[in-house]
Amino acid sequence: MSAPAAKTAAEFVPGVQTLAVLRDAAQKCRGCELYRYATQTVFGEGPTSSKIVVIGEQPGDVEDRQGHPFVGPAGKLLDRALVEAGIERSRVYVTNAVKHFKFEERGKRRLHKKPGAQEIRAYRPWLEAEISLIKPNVIVCLGATAAQSLLGSGYRLTVERGRFVEHPWAPHVTSTIHPSAILRAPGGEQRHAEYQKFLADLKKVRELVEARGAA
């Protein structure tokens, strides 16, 4: 007897789709157990006309409380890097592979906990629905979890970082580190070095968009 199929969010994704409809429907998603503990669903934000989509792993503590993606410390660093890379932040769509904050409690603090493979699969229908509406030219995956959610568990960020590959969801997909990894780097010198590499990856994205006339 075969095992039952893993539960996903597919049954909660509406047939008639706009970003507003998706965002509203996602608040009612019960595709995995993370909704039980998070404050709310944190859906993607940005214009439907975005040519660049940035995908992170999951919302953090600040995002979970405020209901918006990339508004915490890592998000502020991303905003700074996009500006310095010459990418207009207001024209970028930002989202996460997982739409609820997974955490463990340490006293009064809620610390990030990496989502599992089944949880990432559960949220994939939401991510695919977002991308299918936006139809970006470039997808930028921040961190290994985001990259593997699109490109498979065998994808190695340390090997493939900064390279562009074709994907059914976009002509160009690339990966770089998550800005939270820069914030965790020990010492100012190493943080600066990691930030410069992160900035260089984003500049490659800007150069590709300009070369393709996709701005």
Side-chain angles (χ1 to χ4, degrees), residues 38-61:
T39 304
Q40 58 195 312
T41 305
V42 181
F43 206 72
E45 293 183 356
T48 311
S49 60
S50 297
K51 298 304 180 185
I52 300 173
V53 169
V54 172
I55 303 174
E57 178 189 271
Q58 65 169 347
D61 181 69

Side-chain angles (χ1 to χ4, degrees), residues 56-97:
E57 178 189 271
Q58 65 169 347
D61 181 69
V62 177
E63 288 82 2
D64 176 65
R65 297 181 192 279
Q66 295 188 15
H68 301 287
F70 290 96
V71 292
K76 295 184 188 308
L77 188 61
L78 173 64
D79 289 350
R80 171 189 158 193
L82 287 170
V83 170
E84 291 186 21
I87 299 171
E88 192 173 338
R89 173 64 180 82
S90 63
R91 299 178 69 180
V92 175
Y93 187 89
V94 295
T95 191
N96 284 292

Side-chain angles (χ1 to χ4, degrees), residues 7 12 26-41 64 99-101 123:
K7 186 177 180 182
F12 299 95
Q27 295 299 328
K28 306 175 184 67
C29 182
R30 304 293 183 265
C32 79
E33 295 299 304
L34 294 185
Y35 80 92
R36 296 182 181 276
Y37 313 103
T39 304
Q40 58 195 312
T41 305
D64 176 65
K99 310 301 187 192
H100 289 106
F101 179 37
Y123 287 93

Side-chain angles (χ1 to χ4, degrees), residues 4 109 118 125 129 137-139 150 204 214:
R109 300 176 64 199
Q118 185 170 331
N137 289 83
V138 184
I139 295 175
L150 261 73
K204 289 181 185 177

